Amino acid sequence: MNKFILIFLFITFASFGATNSLAVSKKEKIFFTEEDIQIDTTSIELRTFEKNFKSKYTDDKFIYEFKSKEKNAWDRFKEWLAGIFRNIFSLSNKETSMNFVEVLMKILAILVVIFVIYLIVKSIMNKEGQWIFGKNSDKKIIDYTEIEKNIHAVDFEKLIKNTLKSGEKRLSIRYYYLWLLKKMSAKEIIIWDIEKTNSDYLYEIKNQTQKDEFAYLSYLYNYIWYGEFDMDDATFTKAKNSFEKAIQAIK
């Protein structure tokens, strides 16, 4: 019974205290007027940006957003090639396949350079490029095709002397053959035409002795020039004498 009395008294006093607190708070409410508002009278300095101020901030450290580089046709080709190699060799990722393509391209470029150097060296070794480093480097290069088109205007005797000095035996035999055709055309034994073959000229020759001789010389020419066989001195001398004899016989 005493417990209930104490609880009742406690609740009564608590309610009374809360009521008094609300009353006090209502009495202490403060109201502000326009006069109570303080105005900021501090002066403000207007500042502007310098001209071309952006030029100071063009370094990479001021770039916060990086745009991906636009891909050209070459980049797309390498990606396509990398995809093929990635599928064929089961490469781990795209970066690995791209590195493989880059290495492959460098190797191919080196091989192309080596091949070009090889062709240049081969040309020099065959003495077809001697004009590059020789004493007569300012002379015009002789075009075989142009010589064939104008055999009547060519001094074959002079050309043969030059080729013999430089040791170009195969080329000398070619000039001997064209010289023979020039002489035969001048004597109307044949009718010269750059499109004709040895068989065409052989058919036009009426004299049997000349026909047999031309057939033999044509055989030597085809064997030496188109066969690209190396000749020893004895074989070259024999062929050279045969052509000279046939040329001198045409009067």
Side-chain angles (χ1 to χ4, degrees):
M1 185 68 178
N2 292 332
K3 287 182 179 182
F4 289 109
I5 294 173
L6 291 175
I7 292 172
F8 174 77
L9 291 174
F10 175 78
I11 294 172
T12 302
F13 283 111
S15 299
F16 180 76
T19 303
N20 289 337
S21 297
L22 290 172
V24 172
S25 62
K26 288 181 179 180
K27 289 180 181 180
E28 293 179 355
K29 188 174 182 180
I30 300 173
F31 296 94
F32 293 98
T33 63
E34 186 176 352
E35 295 178 354
D36 296 322
I37 299 174
Q38 296 183 358
I39 300 174
D40 187 2
T41 59
T42 305
S43 60
I44 299 174
E45 181 182 356
L46 182 63
R47 304 184 65 179
T48 59
F49 291 104
E50 297 179 1
K51 291 183 177 180
N52 300 323
F53 72 95
K54 293 183 179 180
S55 61
K56 298 180 181 180
Y57 307 98
T58 56
D59 295 339
D60 293 340
K61 61 183 178 181
F62 295 106
I63 300 176
Y64 304 105
E65 295 182 1
F66 294 93
K67 295 181 179 180
S68 58
K69 182 181 177 181
E70 293 185 3
K71 297 178 182 179
N72 53 30
W74 176 248
D75 294 330
R76 291 192 293 271
F77 170 73
K78 289 194 295 184
E79 287 186 354
W80 172 77
L81 197 60
I84 293 177
F85 286 119
R86 187 164 61 250
N87 294 331
I88 294 176
F89 300 106
S90 301
L91 299 177
S92 57
N93 52 48
K94 183 178 180 180
E95 183 178 357
T96 302
S97 59
M98 284 298 295
N99 291 336
F100 179 80
V101 170
E102 292 289 345
V103 173
L104 180 63
M105 291 297 180
K106 291 179 181 178
I107 293 175
L108 290 176
I110 293 173
L111 291 177
V112 170
V113 172
I114 293 175
F115 180 70
V116 171
I117 294 174
Y118 164 76
L119 292 179
I120 295 174
V121 173
K122 183 181 178 181
S123 176
I124 294 173
M125 294 299 293
N126 289 337
K127 298 182 180 180
E128 294 175 359
Q130 190 175 12
W131 60 275
I132 302 175
F133 304 102
K135 296 180 180 179
N136 300 324
S137 59
D138 56 338
K139 290 185 179 180
K140 184 179 179 181
I141 304 170
I142 298 174
D143 191 319
Y144 301 145
T145 305
E146 291 301 319
I147 290 176
E148 291 183 4
K149 290 180 180 178
N150 304 279
I151 63 171
H152 296 91
V154 176
D155 186 350
F156 286 105
E157 189 173 4
K158 183 178 180 180
L159 286 177
I160 291 170
K161 286 181 180 179
N162 292 335
T163 54
L164 291 176
K165 286 181 181 179
S166 59
E168 297 176 277
K169 297 176 181 178
R170 289 180 56 251
L171 186 56
S172 298
I173 296 300
R174 179 179 179 84
Y175 288 155
Y176 270 119
Y177 175 75
L178 293 175
W179 190 9
L180 175 63
L181 293 179
K182 175 183 176 180
K183 296 282 286 186
M184 294 174 66
S185 176
K187 294 299 180 180
E188 298 182 353
I189 299 173
I190 62 170
I191 299 174
W192 163 255
D193 190 330
I194 193 173
E195 300 296 333
K196 287 184 178 180
T197 65
N198 295 343
S199 299
D200 294 330
Y201 293 129
L202 189 64
Y203 178 78
E204 293 176 0
I205 300 173
K206 306 302 181 183
N207 185 285
Q208 188 60 44
T209 302
Q210 290 178 334
K211 181 175 290 194
D212 294 339
E213 188 174 41
F214 182 78
Y216 171 70
L217 294 174
S218 297
Y219 164 76
L220 287 179
Y221 168 70
N222 290 333
Y223 178 82
I224 295 170
W225 179 252
Y226 294 107
E228 297 186 3
F229 296 105
D230 294 330
M231 292 182 294
D232 54 24
D233 293 337
T235 303
F236 173 72
T237 301
K238 182 179 178 181
K240 171 178 171 292
N241 292 338
S242 298
F243 274 101
E244 288 181 348
K245 180 181 177 182
I247 291 170
Q248 292 173 3
I250 300 175
K251 297 181 182 179

